[in-house]
Amino acid sequence: MFRILIGVFCAVLWSPVSQALSPGLQVAKQWKLLRYNFEPQAPISDPNFYNPQNVLITGVAVTNDRIFVATPKLFSGVPSTVSWVSKAQFGDSPTLQAFPDWTFSNTGRSDFNCSDLILTSVYRLRLDSCNRIWLLDAGISRSLEDYEITCPPKILVVDLATDRVVRRIDFPPEVLRGESLFTNMVIDETTAKGCDDVFVYITDTVEPGIIVYDSGKDVTWRVSHPAMYPDPDFAQSEIHEHRFVLMDGVVGLTFDERTGVVYFQPLATDRVFSVHKNVLRAGPLPDNKMLDVKLVGKKSSQGIGLAVSPFDSSLIFSPLSETAIASWNPTTNQQSVLAFDRDQLQFVADITTTKSEPGVIYAIASKFHRFFLKNLNPNEFNNRIVRLELPAGNSLLGHRVALPAAPTHNSLLNYGIYNTHGQTSTNALQTYFTSPALTTPFTTKTPFKFESGGIVNYAARNPFTALNQGEAFPPSKATRDNYQRSYLDTLVGTTAPAATTRVVSVPPTAFSNRHSGYYYQRATRSLGQQ
Ligand SMILES: *[C@@H]1O[C@H](CO)[C@@H](O)[C@H](O)[C@H]1NC(C)=O
């Protein structure tokens, strides 16, 4: 019944002109399989060092002249986890240049020391305003195979004028959990007085939480919330005929500098959430306090990459099943499909704006699902960096593109519980994103007491590992009652909290007794003089 209703709805709205849908989408770079500028002595015939069918891009950063990519060690055979290519040409398939250079690669090596300047596995990289690139090293090798904790996570900051590391940030062990996986970050420079006075918000995907690093004070803490956990109903994602199960927690992350809102999403969810920077900056949560997280809305399918339009603060997202990049304006509730391409927009793991080209986004689209399912076609383009000019300001209003092929699952059409009149409008794009915040007056209520410390055994194996390795299967989506309101649906609200600093009265204890309600400090090494 559900499927039939959707079919009828979309048949009415789907216009046949949708074939020429994305005139603005440009392919900046594309690769069937990734190649590197190997050194002559590199053991390239050893599949533990280089296995091109195991190397895919999940993060991208763009400067005036270079495009940087992150290729994390999801599987064995990733020779360099950070690389760059020249931005000069478009549409080519250049050889990746190891970054900063090959001495940073620890692939297939056992002679390294985690204190060395090495990189194990980088998922995302971000640029700051000081011409530096921040590399977030998760430290985990083969995260989708045997999940080896190779080194503790860290950040290396590289000056792009010299390609030298100028700063190293090691995290205090107290903010790490047994299987922590640091996958994404935003650099909040909104109150910075200098290059090293920023806040950094980091996602822990496997032990779900957000790590806050105050680089001015050099202190770190972590916060968590049920919204950062994967939703078993959305463990299975679907791109065309390929289905895969990944119970990943919070991984999509972006920051609106204008409003101070941090948007985030787990992979296994149909929701996008937000938390204000003042909430994150206020310090660790006292016992029995809930982090002030808001539900932003529901999407038509799972996704990772998020960005914010510098023109109108629209949230840019990419629902996987729809193979599209879409935007949603939190003020006007206006939606738009910015680009749709069945081949070129599969699995958009990162979307980024760049100061070198204001009003433009770059995104990385890969056939991640086919790498994961081991059914990659090496003759197809499996990694693409695409470029898209965002519609400026008010031109978003009335910007119409035809609706792409209908999603047959996870649809929002039955999500009419908050919006009994809006869905009848002719705006077909409402099927991509529905925001309860704009239609519902009720306020956030905490339905239970949240215990933030004392009872959790952090040494225990992460319960999602089995799911991620395909050992178990989540409950069927069909068993979900679409009208039943989840606790996460009650997190509605739009007001920004005032800037405050929490005072946590309990003094820090030995780190065998971990607790989220503390600040943790660890010496940061300045490498500027090297
Ligand atoms: C790694 O390097 C650090 C700092 O140089 C040193 O203190 C430590 O002993 C080294 N560890 C090993 C296993 O060599």
Side-chain angles (χ1 to χ4, degrees):
M1 181 58 180
F2 187 48
R3 276 170 179 262
I4 293 167
L5 279 177
I6 296 163
V8 170
F9 188 83
C10 295
V12 172
L13 293 166
W14 187 29
S15 139
V17 296
S18 65
Q19 303 316 321
L21 239 177
S22 32
L25 190 72
Q26 278 179 290
V27 174
K29 305 285 165 188
Q30 57 186 350
W31 296 270
K32 290 173 180 168
L33 299 175
L34 296 164
R35 286 172 295 109
Y36 288 84
N37 66 332
F38 290 115
E39 294 181 307
Q41 72 278 17
I44 54 171
S45 54
D46 176 356
N48 287 316
F49 179 74
Y50 178 48
N51 180 351
Q53 304 227 8
N54 277 356
V55 191
L56 69 135
I57 302 172
T58 61
V60 62
V62 180
T63 66
N64 285 327
D65 55 345
R66 287 193 278 183
I67 297 179
F68 292 89
V69 295
T71 50
K73 287 182 183 152
L74 304 177
F75 314 104
S76 58
V78 180
S80 170
T81 188
V82 179
S83 312
W84 66 274
V85 294
S86 165
K87 191 172 150 187
Q89 268 183 293
F90 263 23
D92 57 337
S93 310
T95 299
L96 301 189
Q97 312 287 312
F99 183 82
D101 60 50
W102 280 109
T103 65
F104 285 78
S105 166
N106 66 356
T107 306
R109 280 172 53 193
S110 55
D111 61 337
F112 60 88
N113 178 330
C114 291
S115 303
D116 297 343
L117 289 181
I118 49 160
L119 292 166
T120 300
S121 186
V122 174
Y123 287 77
R124 305 274 171 338
L125 18 75
R126 301 286 172 229
L127 298 163
D128 67 13
S129 298
C130 299
N131 193 33
R132 308 184 305 179
I133 191 164
W134 294 54
L135 312 175
L136 176 64
D137 183 1
I140 306 292
S141 298
R142 304 174 301 276
S143 56
L144 293 174
E145 290 170 350
D146 62 341
Y147 207 90
E148 179 194 274
I149 301 176
T150 307
C151 286
K154 65 174 177 293
I155 290 172
L156 294 184
V157 183
V158 182
D159 179 2
L160 290 175
T162 59
D163 286 0
R164 305 279 297 267
V165 176
V166 291
R167 197 158 179 224
R168 171 185 178 132
I169 298 157
D170 289 293
F171 296 96
E174 292 85 349
V175 300
L176 308 182
R177 299 292 179 258
E179 296 195 336
S180 278
L181 187 71
F182 288 7
T183 53
N184 206 343
M185 72 179 150
V186 294
I187 303 170
D188 171 2
E189 300 181 303
T190 53
T191 52
K193 293 181 194 73
C195 295
D196 289 311
D197 180 31
V198 299
F199 282 83
V200 186
Y201 314 126
I202 296 162
T203 55
D204 187 341
T205 298
V206 176
E207 305 271 11
I210 290 182
I211 284 74
V212 182
Y213 175 60
D214 175 349
S215 77
K217 295 199 182 75
D218 192 31
V219 288
T220 314
W221 59 94
R222 66 178 285 147
V223 292
S224 187
H225 187 279
M228 297 171 191
Y229 281 72
D231 178 344
D233 282 343
F234 295 91
Q236 177 176 268
S237 302
E238 204 175 305
I239 299 176
H240 302 319
E241 72 276 27
H242 305 288
R243 296 172 179 205
F244 57 99
V245 172
L246 255 187
M247 279 288 281
D248 275 3
V250 55
V251 57
L253 187 73
T254 192
F255 179 53
D256 185 345
E257 294 195 341
R258 240 181 312 197
T259 59
V261 171
V262 175
Y263 293 97
F264 68 87
Q265 59 180 353
L267 170 63
T269 185
D270 65 342
R271 297 172 171 93
V272 176
F273 301 95
S274 69
V275 57
H276 197 272
K277 71 174 183 187
N278 291 344
V279 170
L280 294 175
R281 286 173 170 214
L285 279 172
D287 271 343
N288 302 322
K289 283 280 179 292
M290 212 47 186
L291 196 70
D292 186 8
V293 165
K294 307 289 190 209
L295 172 66
V296 175
K298 282 200 171 190
K299 307 169 294 169
S300 46
S301 63
Q302 295 93 330
I304 295 185
L306 292 174
V308 169
S309 165
F311 292 129
D312 59 1
S313 288
S314 286
L315 179 68
I316 298 160
F317 63 105
S318 176
L320 295 184
S321 303
E322 287 70 29
T323 64
I325 294 177
S327 75
W328 170 75
N329 185 317
T331 316
T332 63
N333 205 21
Q334 189 77 26
Q335 291 194 43
S336 189
V337 174
L338 303 175
F340 162 67
D341 193 303
R342 285 176 56 82
D343 183 48
Q344 296 185 2
L345 291 179
Q346 297 182 25
F347 205 90
V348 176
D350 198 15
I351 305 173
T352 186
T353 52
T354 166
K355 292 209 165 74
S356 77
E357 293 171 81
V360 166
I361 54 166
Y362 282 83
I364 172 67
S366 77
K367 308 265 166 82
F368 166 85
H369 42 298
R370 307 199 60 179
F371 285 91
F372 183 65
L373 296 167
K374 303 287 179 210
N375 65 11
L376 194 71
N377 179 350
N379 300 315
E380 284 180 0
F381 288 105
N382 293 302
N383 281 282
R384 280 194 182 88
I385 295 169
V386 294
R387 178 186 183 275
L388 189 64
E389 286 175 26
L390 297 173
N394 288 336
S395 67
L396 258 186
L397 298 169
H399 179 81
R400 281 187 63 101
V401 283
L403 188 70
T408 53
H409 70 113
N410 295 353
S411 171
L412 298 174
L413 297 179
N414 273 4
Y415 193 60
I417 175 168
Y418 298 113
N419 188 353
T420 48
H421 45 277
Q423 291 287 331
T424 55
S425 88
T426 53
N427 186 354
L429 305 175
Q430 292 290 344
T431 55
Y432 273 19
F433 202 91
T434 304
S435 177
L438 296 172
T439 50
T440 318
F442 68 76
T443 54
T444 301
K445 204 165 90 240
T446 305
F448 54 86
K449 278 198 166 180
F450 186 61
E451 287 206 53
S452 59
I455 54 163
V456 184
N457 175 9
Y458 294 115
R461 187 174 152 85
N462 178 285
F464 304 116
T465 307
L467 277 170
N468 282 346
Q469 291 172 351
E471 291 164 16
F473 210 74
S476 149
K477 178 77 173 53
T479 60
R480 183 193 174 99
D481 178 350
N482 280 287
Y483 292 96
Q484 176 134 34
R485 188 179 289 171
S486 146
Y487 157 63
L488 296 173
D489 292 336
T490 67
L491 304 172
V492 175
T494 49
T495 49
T500 53
T501 302
R502 285 183 203 109
V503 179
V504 181
S505 53
V506 228
T509 52
F511 88 90
S512 58
N513 179 18
R514 293 183 205 191
H515 188 295
S516 40
Y518 301 127
Y519 299 90
Y520 297 104
Q521 191 149 22
R522 178 169 190 152
T524 309
R525 285 190 269 162
S526 172
L527 298 158
Q529 271 70 263
Q530 275 196 346

